[in-house]
Amino acid sequence: QVPLVESGGGLVQAGGSLRLSCAASERTFSNYDMGWFRQAPGKEREFVAVISWTGRTTYYAESVKGRFTISRDNAKTTVYLQMDSLKPEDTAIYYCAAGDGSTWSKRYDYWGQGTQVTVSS
């Protein structure tokens, strides 16, 4: 098991920033690609960003490219999502997941409980 715990969500005004963290409790974290997904009310869960287990490769959804930055610290078994220039449409529950690096959520084996991000206009 690779339990994942997200933190850092909250309420922010449009144009503001938040930094999400996702802590894993297992050393095997370093062998997984890590992704962030989000789900808004009434919508499907969607891919946000992914980072390879080495940290050298990242990929973003077009909707967040240039505004969000994913990073990881394998020594701390933690992955981060820096979110800048937030928009109301970024409002969602954000989940981190450990898997094979796909943009498809079904390719991820482990999920956190989610953290709420609300962006007010």
Side-chain angles (χ1 to χ4, degrees):
Q1 292 292 324
V2 185
L4 304 171
V5 180
E6 303 98 333
S7 61
L11 174 64
V12 64
Q13 289 188 330
S17 298
L18 283 174
R19 188 193 196 203
L20 305 184
S21 299
C22 173
S25 62
E26 293 286 339
R27 295 294 297 177
T28 52
F29 166 86
S30 61
N31 295 321
Y32 285 95
D33 295 340
M34 297 296 296
W36 285 97
F37 291 77
R38 67 186 181 186
Q39 188 166 17
K43 294 188 176 182
E44 297 286 321
R45 188 171 297 188
E46 66 173 0
F47 167 79
V48 175
V50 64
I51 187 166
S52 63
W53 71 272
T54 63
R56 295 192 186 106
T57 303
T58 59
Y59 183 75
Y60 298 90
E62 284 298 322
S63 59
V64 306
K65 195 175 293 184
R67 300 187 298 121
F68 291 10
T69 304
I70 189 171
S71 61
R72 66 190 294 163
D73 184 334
N74 285 351
K76 297 181 178 179
T77 63
T78 300
V79 63
Y80 306 96
L81 186 68
Q82 177 67 41
M83 305 186 296
D84 299 316
S85 302
L86 282 161
K87 304 175 182 180
E89 51 264 43
D90 294 318
T91 295
I93 299 174
Y94 283 71
Y95 300 88
C96 70
D100 72 351
S102 170
T103 60
W104 192 27
S105 62
K106 293 185 184 298
R107 298 299 295 265
Y108 287 76
D109 298 322
Y110 305 103
W111 291 84
Q113 82 289 351
T115 185
Q116 176 71 48
V117 171
T118 303
V119 184
S120 63
S121 58

